[in-house]
Amino acid sequence: MPTINPVKGTHDIIADEADVYSYIESVFAKEAESFGYRHIVTPVLEHTEVFDRATGEGSDVVRKEMYTFLDKAERSVTLRPEGTAGVMRSIMTNKLYATPDMPLKYYYSGTTYRYERPQLGRYREFRQIGVECVGEDSVYLDAETVALAARTLQKLGFKDLRLKINTLGDKASRENYKEALRAFFATRIDQMCPDCHERLRLNPLRILDCKVPEDHALVADAPKMKDYLSPESLERYQKTLDLLRLLDIPFEEDDTLVRGLDYYGEIVFEVHCISPEGNDYGAICGGGHYEGILTNFGGPKEIDVGVGFAMGVERVYALMKEFGLIGGLASTLDIYLMPLGEEAIRPAYELGDTLRGLGYSALVPYKPGKLGAYFKKAERKGARYAIIFGETELQNGFVQVKDLTKQQQEEVNLKELPDYLAAHLR
Ligand code: HAM
C-alpha cells in the first residue's frame, strides 16, 4: 500500500519540535497575561461571512486564499485564515462589549488556513499566536501592543529583529493617498505585474508591497503617505514612535509597509528577521490599529476600534532553531526504570506509577531486558536517572540509582527513595 502524505502545505509537528511550539505559545501566553490579556478560543470553522465582513474583500486572503466550502446543509463555511475576525464575531455573539471595563483584551493561539503557494516559511496550515485589544482608542495601547510583540520575541531569545513601522493614516488621509496612487500608477500599470493591475482596481495601497523586484523602481517613485497625512494622524504616529523610544524598543520606519488585510488604519507594523544562514522566512509578526470591523458585525460605533497582531509560530520556530535558541527546551525523561528479570516487571510497573504520582516522568520497559540494552535505550530517551533492581533487591528494600549524566551510582533504601530523588532531581 502506498503511504499517505500530509495534504500539501500542511506538516506534522513531532516530539521535540512540538515541545518547542508549546514553549513558544506558553511564553507568549505569559507575556500577554502580564499585559492584562485574557485567553479566548474561537472556532476554526466560521460562516464565510465572518471573514467577508471583517477582513475586507480587497485582501488577497479573502479573494484567493480562503478554504471555503459548502457543508452538508449547503451553508458556506470557511477555515479561519486569521484570528481577528473570529474574535470580533465572538465579541458580538457573546456581547463581550457590554462591560464598563474597556478595552477588551484577548489573546489566542491556534491553527490557521490559507491556500497559498507553499514555500520557505509559508504553509497552508500554520499556527498563529495573537492578540486583539478592542474598544479604546489610544496611542498608548497602540504602542503597548507593539511592545508586547517585541517583548515576547525578546523573551524567546531573539536579539536581531527588524521591527518595521508605518502609518496608513485616518480614513480621509488614506482615501486621498489612494487617489494619488491611482493617478500615479494609472499611466505606469502596463509596466507592472498582473497582480498589481488588480491591486490598482481594488486597493492601490497593496501595490506598495508588491514582491516582484521589477516593480520596485516604480514603487520607489510613487507618492508618499506622509505627504497625505492629516495633522492628527501625523501627530498620532509621532507619539507612538516616541512611546516606543521611551520603552527602548528599536524600530525602523518603512513607508512601503501597508499590510495585506484591509481593516488597518493609522499604525501598522511587522517584525522581520534574517536567519544566520541568510534565510528570509517573511514577517514573523504583523499587526496594527484598525477601525470599522465591529460595526460591520452590527456592533456599537463608540467601541469600534482596536489594535492587535499575530505571529506565525512556524516562522518563529524556524528562526529560533537557526539562531540556536531551542537547546534544552524539549521535555526530558526523569527516570528510566530497569527491572532485571521477569519478576521485577510487576513491581517496576507499580514503582513507575508511584514516581509519576510524585511528579516525575518515568518510563518502564514491560519486557525484561539486558542492562546494556536498557542503558542504550535510556540514553536515546535522554533519561536523567536510572533505577535498577531485581527481585532480590526489592525484597531487601533497596534499589540502585544511577545519575546518567555524572555516571555515578548509589544504593538507595526504597523508603528513602522519594527524599533521595527530591534532593537530586529537583
Ligand atoms: P498576517 O500578517 O496576515 O496578519 O499574519 C500574521 C503572521 O502569520 C505573519 O506575520 C506570519 O508570521 C504568519 N503567517 C501568515 N501567513 C502564513 C503562512 N502561509 N505560513 C506560515 N505563517 C504565516 C494577520 O493575520 C492579522 N490577523 C494580524 C492582526 C491581529 N492584526 C490585528 N490583529
Side-chain angles (χ1 to χ4, degrees):
M1 283 260 264
T3 52
I4 301 179
N5 290 322
V7 171
K8 187 174 175 186
T10 70
H11 64 129
D12 300 312
I13 307 161
I14 301 167
D16 288 2
E17 184 174 345
D19 287 344
V20 181
Y21 274 54
S22 302
Y23 172 78
I24 294 168
E25 294 186 15
S26 69
V27 168
F28 164 68
K30 203 162 162 231
E31 205 55 28
E33 281 167 11
S34 79
F35 281 72
Y37 282 85
R38 301 294 310 276
H39 197 187
I40 190 166
V41 182
T42 63
V44 172
L45 194 63
E46 295 272 6
H47 294 294
T48 302
E49 212 185 335
V50 169
F51 306 104
D52 291 343
R53 287 201 206 180
T55 320
E57 283 164 348
S59 71
D60 284 352
V61 172
V62 171
R63 277 187 303 121
K64 301 189 208 149
E65 295 168 3
M66 293 207 305
Y67 274 89
T68 296
F69 52 94
L70 293 180
D71 69 7
K72 290 191 196 299
E74 309 258 304
R75 282 174 295 237
S76 179
V77 288
T78 294
L79 297 177
R80 67 174 167 220
E82 56 104 48
T84 312
V87 174
M88 297 302 140
R89 200 262 316 129
S90 183
I91 288 176
M92 293 310 300
T93 311
N94 300 291
K95 297 196 173 50
L96 301 176
Y97 56 83
T99 166
D101 297 323
M102 287 293 163
L104 303 168
K105 286 178 142 187
Y106 293 106
Y107 75 88
Y108 49 86
S109 58
T111 44
T112 317
Y113 300 81
R114 292 185 191 176
Y115 196 82
E116 295 194 81
R117 197 166 59 77
Q119 52 186 284
L120 187 73
R122 180 166 298 160
Y123 296 90
R124 290 183 172 172
E125 180 188 83
F126 57 99
R127 297 191 68 81
Q128 275 193 347
I129 46 184
V131 300
E132 308 302 337
C133 172
V134 178
E136 193 177 310
D137 194 7
S138 157
V139 279
Y140 286 98
L141 288 171
D142 289 354
E144 187 195 86
T145 307
V146 181
L148 169 57
R151 297 289 183 239
T152 301
L153 291 165
Q154 283 167 357
K155 288 263 159 71
L156 289 169
F158 285 99
K159 291 195 177 72
D160 300 317
L161 294 170
R162 294 179 66 197
L163 171 63
K164 300 183 182 192
I165 191 156
N166 190 24
T167 177
L168 300 178
D170 54 31
K171 206 161 182 231
S173 313
R174 219 159 41 250
E175 285 312 318
N176 288 339
Y177 183 47
K178 280 186 190 171
E179 260 331 296
L181 288 177
R182 274 196 196 97
F184 176 83
F185 285 114
T187 53
R188 298 164 174 89
I189 198 71
D190 294 343
Q191 305 159 46
M192 303 191 77
C193 75
D195 274 348
C196 280
H197 290 223
E198 211 177 340
R199 288 178 187 131
L200 182 63
R201 199 167 50 80
L202 290 169
N203 181 0
L205 282 176
R206 295 299 318 281
I207 296 179
L208 300 183
D209 74 347
C210 173
K211 302 287 179 288
V212 177
E214 292 74 34
D215 289 1
H216 287 178
L218 277 176
V219 168
D221 288 343
K224 300 282 177 250
M225 179 79 225
K226 285 220 179 72
D227 298 326
Y228 294 82
L229 281 182
S230 65
E232 297 76 24
S233 284
L234 184 61
E235 193 189 341
R236 181 179 188 122
Y237 179 55
Q238 299 298 0
K239 275 190 181 161
T240 312
L241 300 187
D242 178 55
L243 290 170
L244 292 177
R245 286 187 198 101
L246 181 72
L247 300 185
D248 226 359
I249 292 173
F251 60 84
E252 53 190 80
E253 295 179 65
D254 180 348
D255 58 14
T256 64
L257 181 67
V258 291
R259 310 274 305 125
L261 299 155
D262 284 352
Y263 44 61
Y264 296 107
E266 310 288 0
I267 289 316
V268 286
F269 68 99
E270 280 183 0
V271 182
H272 292 251
C273 179
I274 302 293
S275 83
E277 286 162 30
N279 287 323
D280 183 354
Y281 292 93
I284 41 179
C285 173
H289 176 102
Y290 49 85
E291 273 169 36
I293 310 185
L294 275 183
T295 37
N296 282 347
F297 286 93
K301 197 162 174 15
E302 315 80 76
I303 58 152
D304 191 10
V305 57
V307 53
F309 68 78
M311 284 185 200
V313 181
E314 276 75 3
R315 295 184 186 181
V316 171
Y317 170 81
L319 284 163
M320 284 178 72
K321 197 168 165 201
E322 283 206 39
F323 277 104
L325 301 174
I326 62 175
L329 292 181
S331 74
T332 51
L333 178 66
D334 294 327
I335 300 159
Y336 196 90
L337 287 144
M338 302 188 174
L340 301 173
E342 184 73 50
E343 299 72 22
I345 296 276
R346 191 180 155 88
Y349 181 72
E350 192 190 2
L351 182 57
D353 190 57
T354 308
L355 293 171
R356 286 182 211 111
L358 292 171
Y360 302 106
S361 54
L363 207 63
V364 187
Y366 295 128
K367 272 193 216 141
K370 297 225 163 57
L371 211 48
Y374 278 159
F375 277 120
K376 280 199 187 115
K377 274 194 185 164
E379 191 182 335
R380 282 198 297 273
K381 297 278 177 199
R384 296 165 66 198
Y385 275 76
I387 300 184
I388 310 149
F389 50 88
E391 207 192 5
T392 331
E393 280 90 345
L394 287 177
Q395 273 162 8
N396 295 332
F398 284 96
V399 289
Q400 298 291 328
V401 180
K402 185 164 185 179
D403 179 332
L404 296 172
T405 323
K406 295 186 188 148
Q407 292 295 318
Q408 285 166 359
Q409 188 165 317
E410 276 186 84
E411 190 168 77
V412 178
N413 187 316
L414 259 180
K415 288 202 185 93
E416 288 158 15
L417 189 61
D419 289 342
Y420 181 91
L421 293 175
H424 290 78
L425 254 169
R426 288 250 158 83

